[in-house]
Amino acid sequence: MKLTTSIALLAAAGAQAHYTFPKSSQNGVLSADWETIRTTTNKYSHGPVQDVTSSAMTCYEESPGTGAAKIVPVTAGSNFTFTVDSSIGHPGPLHFYLAKAPAGKTAATFDGKGAVWFKIYQDGPSGLGTSAITWPGSAGKSEVSVQIPKCVANGDYLLRVEHIALHSASSVGGAQLYIACAQISVTGGTGTLNTGSLVSFPGAYKATDPGILFQLYWPTPTSYVNPGPPVVKC
């Protein structure tokens, strides 16, 4: 009976640690829920994506093809913030990707499919080789921000936030990905960025990538490799 109760409590605690990214904040203006962020499938459950081959890897949209109501104007070189409901409750890396809307599309109509994404941020762990590994760039945060590179081209983009929870990642399919896409329109960029090889979601990750299939607890890890492409630099 005690074991059953303990398992139930652990399951409840795990569910409470799940999270979404429902709002944006830019230049002191806080959006309403899902006003500038495409509504995600987990808006009520707060549950993750666990199949990296799923179409949900793009933007985890509740209704694919249905954009958010607004596009946020952003100046290249400034910061963009996603709020977290309620906070990032699991250890793992935070990533941000951009995808530029092609001609004839806006950030509200672009589906983000195909090899269109480049990574603009990733955080790494501290405490490797100890029992206190953490990702300080995201641990416990109720909002997460990224600087839009000054060297990007002007235009409409999808900005994809992704947090990978690694507490159950020791088996294939155990990593938990929390994903959302904001709709932004960038001005003031120099257009000099070399994005390198673009990646697709799904497609950028494999379930067996060392940054996805990862033993967080024992044996104590001494290294970590973020999945996906390198971060682009101006």
Side-chain angles (χ1 to χ4, degrees):
M1 184 66 173
K2 287 183 178 179
L3 178 60
T4 302
T5 302
S6 296
I7 292 171
L9 289 172
L10 285 171
Q16 289 172 355
H18 294 171
Y19 31 98
T20 61
F21 302 95
K23 298 178 183 179
S24 68
S25 179
Q26 174 69 12
N27 292 329
V29 178
L30 182 66
S31 75
D33 283 0
W34 313 115
E35 182 180 31
T36 60
I37 314 294
R38 294 189 176 183
T39 303
T40 53
T41 299
N42 66 341
K43 69 175 181 179
Y44 296 124
S45 72
H46 288 204
V49 177
Q50 292 183 262
D51 177 3
V52 296
T53 68
S54 166
S55 62
M57 284 289 292
T58 310
C59 289
Y60 204 4
E61 291 175 83
E62 180 182 53
S63 300
T66 302
K70 293 184 178 180
I71 298 172
V72 184
V74 177
T75 302
S78 67
N79 287 343
F80 185 95
T81 298
F82 288 83
T83 66
V84 186
D85 182 16
S86 56
S87 64
I88 293 180
H90 295 304
L94 178 70
H95 299 144
F96 289 94
Y97 289 84
L98 280 174
K100 193 175 191 300
K105 297 288 185 179
T106 70
T109 60
F110 177 37
D111 64 7
K113 299 298 185 183
V116 293
W117 297 94
F118 56 96
K119 187 189 287 182
I120 61 171
Y121 175 87
Q122 65 183 21
D123 68 344
S126 65
L128 286 168
T130 75
S131 60
I133 301 172
T134 186
W135 277 259
S138 54
K141 297 294 179 67
S142 58
E143 60 179 37
V144 291
S145 300
V146 66
Q147 184 180 51
I148 305 303
K150 180 66 177 175
C151 55
V152 298
N154 295 334
D156 280 16
Y157 290 81
L158 293 177
L159 172 59
R160 181 180 179 274
V161 61
E162 169 191 274
H163 185 259
I164 306 176
L166 296 173
H167 60 293
S168 300
S170 59
S171 59
V172 171
Q176 299 180 355
L177 291 92
Y178 298 87
I179 299 163
C181 288
Q183 300 174 170
I184 66 173
S185 184
V186 176
T187 58
T190 65
T192 58
L193 177 66
N194 179 3
T195 59
S197 297
L198 301 174
V199 299
S200 61
F201 287 104
Y205 303 162
K206 298 190 297 293
T208 54
D209 285 346
I212 301 289
L213 181 62
F214 184 74
Q215 174 52 262
L216 179 63
Y217 301 109
W218 187 261
T220 303
T222 57
S223 64
Y224 179 76
V225 179
N226 292 70
V231 174
V232 298
K233 297 186 182 300
C234 288

